Amino acid sequence: MNTKKIFVEKVKQKGGWVNAHAHLDRAYTLTQENFKYSYFPLKKKWYLVDEMKRLATEEDIYIRMEKALEYFLMQGTQALCSFIDVDEIIEDRALKAAKKLKNNYGNYIHICFANQVLKGVLDKKSKYWFDKSIEFVDIIGGLPATDHGKEDEHLDILLQTAKKKGKIVHVHVDQFNTSEEKETEKLAIKTIEYGMQGKVVAIHSISLAAHVRDYRYKIYKLMKKADLMVISCPIAWIDHTRSERLTPSHNSITPVDEMVPEGITVAFGTDNICDIYKPFSDGNLWIELRVMLEACHYYDIDHLVKIATINGLKVLGL
């Protein structure tokens, strides 16, 4: 029994892979000079990429995005979503490169773009660039942790904007693998509050696995009520550093094996490729899926195929 062959053939029958989460504008930005930043914590990396962003031309960004997209096309990818940086550092250069990419490749692959708000959405400058990106992007992107202490306000702006513009929302939540984080719960509550059921997607939700079982399953029920979907990016977080914090035994990964039986729509993505966030990640979708199924001990081929195809289309609104 060749499980990979069976899986790949079923993916082809469904039209090909769907990479539901990437950052193509940062792909292949790793250098000998910035490689040392790979060891820094995530929150520091949010600012360490500023140097690269400041120096990047529109052409630089386009070349990187095109190279990554070509690789996904070689793998038989039918659809892809990329977040693009939109802030006072990179201004509109990534936006312009994304428009060019969509014009050149839109007939070959479904390309969706979301705005990455590394500077938050509450600061005046940040809000200016957030607003400037809204008409172009297909998906409203969020990162509540960048507006620390004001996460509710951050989510309010995302959901208000999405509701007004008739767009779906993808939000990075629960990224730090700690039981202190409860962002997935907060996002589900806000989704219901704004009547956005079925239009909001949580990216990562790693920290759910760090909570006790009763809490996890309470949140799964809440997520189901909110019709909150999830994107797992396995390689992005499987490397989470060990700590002395006591938690239930778990892998640092979205608890896909528990979510799927609870009726939650789960898709997957590659996240960062060959940059200071993920220096060794090359965007290989099969390897990404292997990490997920092994870390979660989840071997249901038909459901894995759905995660890699149909569910991906659903979370992208396709």
Side-chain angles (χ1 to χ4, degrees), residues 13-31:
Q13 290 170 8
K14 297 294 183 183
W17 297 90
V18 178
N19 182 357
H21 185 71
H23 292 272
L24 300 189
D25 55 337
R26 296 195 211 132
Y28 313 115
T29 53
L30 190 71
T31 65

Side-chain angles (χ1 to χ4, degrees), residues 69 73 77-79 103-111:
L69 190 66
L73 283 169
T77 307
Q78 62 173 309
N103 288 336
N104 291 345
Y105 285 88
N107 291 330
Y108 304 101
I109 181 173
H110 288 289
I111 310 173

Side-chain angles (χ1 to χ4, degrees), residues 30-268:
L30 190 71
T31 65
Q32 288 186 345
E33 290 72 30
N34 67 24
F35 181 73
K36 60 182 179 289
Y37 296 151
S38 302
Y39 290 95
F40 282 68
L42 176 67
K43 288 187 177 181
K44 285 194 176 181
K45 289 179 181 178
W46 290 347
Y47 300 96
L48 289 170
V49 291
D50 281 355
E51 180 183 4
M52 174 274 293
K53 286 158 60 176
R54 193 176 287 110
L55 296 173
T57 66
E58 179 187 330
E59 185 64 16
D60 292 334
I61 299 165
Y62 177 81
I63 290 170
R64 294 197 296 260
M65 295 178 82
E66 184 179 57
K67 180 181 177 181
L69 190 66
E70 288 279 3
Y71 180 53
F72 288 119
L73 283 169
M74 285 172 57
Q75 295 180 71
T77 307
Q78 62 173 309
L80 174 146
C81 177
S82 177
F83 272 64
I84 46 174
D85 287 320
V86 183
D87 52 49
E88 65 268 28
I89 305 297
I90 203 162
E91 298 179 324
D92 63 352
R93 296 192 297 281
L95 270 175
K96 288 178 178 177
K99 288 178 183 178
K100 183 178 176 182
L101 192 77
K102 204 163 195 176
N103 288 336
N104 291 345
Y105 285 88
N107 291 330
Y108 304 101
I109 181 173
H110 288 289
I111 310 173
C112 299
F113 287 108
N115 46 344
Q116 175 73 345
V117 288
L118 274 183
K119 308 299 181 185
V121 296
L122 301 181
D123 173 81
K124 188 176 180 181
K125 287 181 181 178
S126 304
K127 184 63 163 56
Y128 171 81
W129 287 106
F130 172 79
D131 291 339
K132 198 170 178 64
S133 67
I134 293 303
E135 293 306 321
F136 171 69
V137 296
D138 308 281
I139 294 165
I140 307 296
L143 182 57
T146 56
D147 284 315
H148 182 65
K150 297 182 178 179
E151 292 87 352
D152 281 347
E153 294 173 51
H154 184 109
L155 291 174
D156 286 336
I157 287 176
L158 301 183
L159 293 166
Q160 286 167 6
T161 304
K163 194 159 189 175
K164 181 180 178 182
K165 298 294 183 179
K167 299 190 178 188
I168 57 178
V169 184
H170 285 199
V171 189
H172 297 76
V173 292
D174 285 345
Q175 298 184 87
F176 298 104
N177 195 28
T178 166
S179 57
E180 294 167 6
E181 280 194 305
K182 295 184 177 181
E183 290 180 336
T184 303
E185 178 181 8
K186 189 184 292 288
L187 182 60
I189 291 169
K190 283 288 184 182
T191 298
I192 295 168
E193 179 185 329
Y194 280 90
M196 290 285 284
Q197 290 91 332
K199 297 178 181 178
V200 180
V201 182
I203 305 165
H204 301 309
S205 292
I206 302 300
S207 294
L208 267 178
H211 286 271
V212 297
R213 189 181 192 280
D214 285 350
Y215 177 82
R216 296 197 309 273
Y217 278 84
K218 182 183 81 170
I219 300 308
Y220 299 150
K221 287 180 181 177
L222 179 63
M223 293 169 73
K224 184 67 177 170
K225 183 180 177 182
D227 199 3
L228 179 65
M229 298 175 280
V230 181
I231 298 172
S232 172
C233 300
I235 292 175
W237 279 108
I238 200 67
D239 64 349
H240 197 280
T241 53
R242 68 181 60 85
S243 75
E244 299 304 308
R245 184 181 283 111
L246 296 178
T247 66
S249 178
H250 67 286
N251 281 319
S252 179
I253 193 166
T254 312
V256 175
D257 55 310
E258 293 182 342
M259 289 180 171
V260 173
E262 290 301 305
I264 296 167
T265 298
V266 178
F268 91 127

